[in-house]
Amino acid sequence: MARVFITGSSDGLGRMAGQLLVEQGHSAVLHARNEQRGREALAAIPGAETVVIGDLSRIAQTRSVAEQVNALGAFDAVIHNAGVGYQRPQRVLTEDRLPMEFAVNTLAPYILTALIRRPKRLVYLSSGLHQDGDASLKDLAWSERVWQGQQAYSDTKLHDALLAFAIARHWPDVFSNALEPGWVATKMGGAGARDDLDAGHRTQVWLAASDDAAAKVTGEYFFHMRLRKPKPATRDTELQDKLLAACKGFSGVDLPAR
């Protein structure tokens, strides 16, 4: 039995991943941004162990989420599922004066990775749109660029793959991988999404808990439990470390050495 923490698991793919983990006999710890959504998450997955609460758009609350998770003991895996954005028409700033997409999709998984007691496996949700992400890593806060919602989202999904591969390199004792779930009909994806919703959550559960040899790898990118080639820039180690340094600068959180 694996013990897995899943961010953003009050609805969508995160909830589906939690349900599948429980069905398979694993222990799932859920996450929601507020108490009401936490109650909804536990009601939807009655077999879950518990839920931790915190708004991942806020650095202080993201730190609190890490503290709550650490207070629960060791985990076998963490699934960084939480995500926002996609086509937001204007830049929305958090209390830390960062774009919501960057705060939740990029900075929060970095902070949680750095602060949660190191698990055996880390799983980061990217997207096929990472292929359109800006690999220059310039103006991450969108303070100079003209806002483009889909570009901002694509950038953060590129960051998620960079983060997964950076961790795989810096922490060789951890299986750290990224995946794209496909364009599926969740609240974010919308009703017009064409990919298989049922397949959308299975890869992250497989990477987090399976004993299959194909799942026990590191520094790889997957789609529906099969290897897929990510954007070549994600393999650039200097770019990976540049993102880590930027996240440290924004958050004040150090990534522990190997």
Side-chain angles (χ1 to χ4, degrees):
M1 183 185 78
R3 193 174 191 226
V4 183
F5 172 57
I6 316 158
T7 67
S9 40
S10 62
D11 61 14
L13 294 176
R15 177 189 290 184
M16 295 171 69
Q19 290 169 331
L20 182 57
L21 283 163
V22 170
E23 289 172 9
Q24 292 181 349
H26 303 295
S27 178
V29 171
L30 312 179
H31 159 258
R33 67 173 177 264
N34 56 48
E35 296 286 350
Q36 175 61 36
R37 290 178 68 83
R39 289 191 290 270
E40 293 170 358
L42 288 175
I45 313 175
E49 181 179 338
T50 189
V51 62
V52 301
I53 305 299
D55 184 344
L56 298 184
S57 73
R58 304 178 179 186
I59 292 173
Q61 290 200 28
T62 303
R63 284 176 168 270
S64 173
V65 167
E67 291 171 0
Q68 293 172 63
V69 172
N70 286 334
L72 295 172
F75 282 80
D76 295 292
V78 174
I79 300 175
H80 293 285
N81 165 83
V84 298
Y86 179 44
Q87 292 181 328
R88 198 185 303 271
Q90 60 187 16
R91 187 176 68 140
V92 174
L93 295 181
T94 68
E95 69 176 20
D96 302 298
R97 308 299 296 171
L98 295 171
M100 184 71 69
E101 288 80 357
F102 179 77
V104 175
N105 300 356
T106 303
L107 197 59
Y110 167 83
I111 293 171
L112 295 176
T113 298
L115 296 182
I116 290 175
R117 185 182 308 170
R118 194 175 304 186
K120 298 173 184 175
R121 308 187 194 193
L122 288 163
V123 182
Y124 299 85
L125 263 71
S126 182
S127 163
L129 288 174
H130 89 278
Q131 296 282 357
D132 299 325
D134 180 5
S136 74
L137 301 187
K138 293 179 179 178
D139 193 22
L140 293 173
W142 284 82
S143 58
E144 299 174 3
R145 289 184 282 175
V146 176
W147 179 257
Q148 297 178 50
Q150 183 164 317
Q151 184 63 57
Y153 178 80
S154 299
D155 290 356
T156 64
K157 295 293 100 179
L158 174 67
H159 302 161
D160 289 330
L162 282 167
L163 181 56
F165 299 159
I167 298 302
R169 183 166 54 87
H170 285 286
W171 294 356
D173 57 332
V174 174
F175 295 143
S176 177
N177 297 288
L179 66 101
E180 58 184 76
W183 181 30
V184 292
T186 59
K187 185 166 60 178
M188 183 188 300
R194 297 187 296 268
D195 286 333
D196 183 357
L197 177 60
D198 183 64
H201 64 295
R202 295 186 179 277
T203 304
Q204 47 266 47
V205 170
W206 178 69
L207 287 170
S210 175
D211 284 330
D212 290 352
K216 298 173 75 173
V217 297
T218 194
E220 297 292 357
Y221 189 90
F222 290 86
F223 174 69
H224 292 0
M225 297 168 62
R226 293 182 181 275
L227 290 171
R228 173 168 282 191
K229 288 185 178 180
K231 186 182 180 81
T234 61
R235 299 299 189 185
D236 185 328
T237 59
E238 291 187 5
L239 202 63
Q240 293 167 12
D241 288 344
K242 183 178 179 180
L243 178 65
L244 295 181
C247 288
K248 176 183 175 181
F250 282 114
S251 66
V253 175
D254 280 307
L255 183 75
R258 68 170 65 188

